[in-house]
Amino acid sequence: MNYWPLLGILLVVAGFALRLNPMLVVTAAALATGLLAGLDPLAVIATFGKAFNDNRIIAIVWIVLPVIGMLERFGLQQRAAAVIRSMQRATTGKLLLLYLGYRQITAAIGLHSTAGHAQTVRPLVAPMALAAAEKEHGELDEKTAERVKAMAAATDNVGVFFGEDIFFAIGSIVLIQATLATYGIDLAPLQLAVWAIPTAILAFLVHGARLLLLDRRLRKPRR
């Protein structure tokens, strides 16, 4: 039995112990494992591609969260906060307003999985919102910090909830269509999606105003 491919595990352990780039470590370990198993370089790359294509749905679920955790471990939140501190005119409200627009637009074209609480709010959006508030108002007390984090999470919820209904090929539209059909109201998914547009615009205006008011509230002296 050939034990040489097991050196790939050793490479992973050594790479993480030395705090090298995680993506580089994993790729190098996988290449080494394939080559030590007797595959030629093209066969190793082809195996990567086939495995990813065959298991991409499972991989999205099981790989994204560990990768996010790993990036946080190596300072993703601190780096995101540093970027915001370097921007002179960035405020918490403006930052979250920008994220709200991004969330609604991507959800409206069916890309609602490109962001979310685990993927973007916790590692990026909330730390950046906190950094913007601290840059302008100094260190925050616990209650205010929790309010900013809650508003970041709420912005994600509002954006995706009112944005995804514009994309007619989604489960919520099918659910609405089926529910209305039980009451004798027959509507095509596209009709429901079109009527979701004014609702999404109104949601953007209402929650956008709340975000701008958050800036004003943060400027008030805290008791």
Side-chain angles (χ1 to χ4, degrees):
M1 185 174 179
N2 182 11
Y3 291 101
W4 285 109
L6 296 178
L7 284 177
I9 299 174
L10 184 61
L11 286 176
V12 171
V13 174
F16 284 112
L18 294 173
R19 297 194 171 190
L20 300 178
N21 185 296
M23 185 64 72
L24 181 62
V25 170
V26 172
T27 303
L31 283 172
T33 301
L35 294 174
L36 291 171
L39 299 175
D40 62 68
L42 291 179
V44 173
I45 295 173
T47 303
F48 279 173
K50 185 176 185 307
F52 178 78
N53 188 59
D54 292 344
N55 302 285
R56 59 187 185 279
I57 300 300
I58 297 174
I60 288 171
V61 175
W62 293 105
I63 291 179
V64 168
L65 291 182
V67 168
I68 292 296
M70 190 184 305
L71 291 174
E72 284 192 28
R73 173 69 176 81
F74 285 91
L76 177 64
Q77 292 187 355
Q78 291 78 4
R79 186 58 189 164
V83 170
I84 287 299
R85 292 191 188 97
S86 67
M87 297 180 179
Q88 296 295 325
R89 306 185 67 177
T91 68
T92 303
K94 291 177 183 176
L95 172 69
L96 293 180
L97 185 63
L98 186 65
Y99 182 69
L100 174 64
Y102 164 80
R103 201 70 173 111
Q104 279 200 322
I105 291 171
T106 53
I109 58 176
L111 300 176
H112 61 280
S113 297
T114 58
H117 290 185
Q119 303 97 312
T120 52
V121 173
R122 176 188 157 87
L124 288 173
V125 179
M128 293 169 83
L130 283 171
E134 290 174 349
K135 176 174 69 67
E136 192 173 8
H137 311 292
E139 187 175 353
L140 304 179
D141 56 55
E142 183 179 356
K143 182 179 178 181
T144 307
E146 291 299 321
R147 181 188 298 277
V148 172
K149 287 191 278 187
M151 192 60 85
T155 299
D156 187 275
N157 289 343
V158 172
V160 71
F161 185 84
F162 289 98
E164 68 178 5
D165 284 346
I166 300 175
F167 185 63
F168 59 85
I170 199 165
S172 57
I173 288 289
V174 176
L175 177 62
I176 294 171
Q177 183 193 24
T179 303
L180 290 176
T182 61
Y183 293 98
I185 304 173
D186 293 321
L187 292 173
L190 182 59
Q191 291 176 287
L192 293 170
V194 168
W195 281 104
I197 294 175
T199 308
I201 293 173
L202 184 61
F204 181 84
L205 294 175
V206 171
H207 192 67
R210 294 182 66 208
L211 294 174
L212 296 179
L213 287 174
L214 177 64
D215 278 342
R216 181 178 296 183
R217 176 174 291 184
L218 290 173
R219 292 189 189 103
K220 292 181 179 178
R222 295 186 291 276
R223 297 176 180 177

